[in-house]
Amino acid sequence: GAATIDETLRSVRSQTYRALEIIVVDDGSRDNTADIVNNHAAVDPRIRLIRVENGGVAAARNRGWQEARSDLIAFVDADDLWAPSKIARQLEAITAAGPQCGLVYCWHAKIDIHSHVTDNRERPMREGEVLDHLFRGNFVGNGSAALVRRQALIDANGFESGLWRAGAQGCEDILFYARVAERHRFAVVPDFLVGYR
């Protein structure tokens, strides 16, 4: 993630909602990702780096949320970006939706290597009971768009790390969202708050 993690962390650190715990799980990188993260941690005490042996994105996400102290967890991949108001707006939405809401997502714009928007046509509005809609496709779109209640993560048993070992990495998000939707409602912030690379 060395090529993009600096910009990603800058987008997370610049959230208007400041009370964040920022956990970076380095999934066995062999580049200077850890050095870049440590440079951010040196100036922002909210950041904590955890280095693990490569085990795939699901295992890394599971380690991150299990280490976190908050009851609300948001994930961001090392090459994606958050708009400054992402977390604040999702907190408002999940609070307004009530305790039966386990996950709130936002829209994403696809971006290129230079962080320029290449596509922002997807504007899903699925809310409430969404399991049937997830069977038709991953309308949440990516792993950087969701804010999830810890209880929903527990109920879903986190992300399925066995997919990586089975050669099916890339299916973790849709499976996780479906497992959350079995027991929890979804909400949406209808705005482009994630840059998805």
Side-chain angles (χ1 to χ4, degrees):
T4 55
I5 190 71
D6 178 68
E7 188 179 14
T8 298
L9 281 175
R10 288 178 191 280
S11 78
V12 173
R13 290 176 55 203
S14 66
Q15 291 298 295
T16 57
Y17 183 85
R18 302 290 302 159
L20 300 178
E21 175 186 24
I22 304 169
I23 298 171
V24 179
V25 180
D26 181 340
D27 187 32
S29 65
R30 296 183 183 149
D31 57 16
N32 66 330
T33 295
D35 295 334
I36 296 167
V37 174
N38 283 327
N39 288 339
H40 280 270
V43 296
D44 192 332
R46 299 176 299 171
I47 297 175
R48 179 164 47 117
L49 174 65
I50 299 171
R51 299 188 81 175
V52 297
E53 193 173 312
N54 181 241
V57 66
R61 287 183 184 160
N62 286 338
R63 178 68 184 268
W65 75 263
Q66 290 164 354
E67 291 275 344
R69 295 185 298 262
S70 178
D71 286 330
L72 293 166
I73 313 289
F75 301 93
V76 60
D77 290 342
D79 59 347
D80 293 342
L81 304 176
W82 284 353
S85 64
K86 177 192 185 284
I87 296 298
R89 295 189 59 197
Q90 287 185 307
L91 286 171
E92 290 172 8
I94 203 166
T95 300
Q100 69 279 14
C101 180
L103 183 150
V104 60
Y105 67 98
C106 60
W107 295 346
H108 68 275
K110 293 178 182 168
I111 58 175
D112 64 16
I113 191 69
H114 306 291
S115 305
H116 298 132
V117 173
T118 60
D119 185 358
N120 65 352
R121 289 174 289 175
E122 294 182 44
R123 298 170 190 220
M125 288 298 298
R126 306 291 186 199
E127 292 188 284
E129 303 289 337
V130 299
L131 185 58
D132 287 348
H133 299 292
L134 283 165
F135 289 152
R136 296 184 198 110
N138 182 3
F139 60 82
V140 176
N142 61 78
S144 299
L147 175 77
V148 189
R149 290 191 194 277
R150 177 179 295 277
Q151 189 58 55
L153 279 153
I154 293 168
D155 292 343
N157 201 27
F159 292 85
E160 182 55 62
S161 60
L163 293 171
W164 180 73
R165 290 186 295 278
Q169 182 163 292
C171 301
E172 298 88 355
D173 292 343
I174 184 67
L175 179 58
F176 171 70
Y177 299 145
R179 287 178 174 173
V180 170
E182 285 182 301
R183 299 176 68 174
H184 299 271
R185 296 173 65 85
F186 280 33
V188 61
V189 176
D191 201 356
F192 294 100
L193 303 177
V194 168
Y196 175 50
R197 209 180 307 266

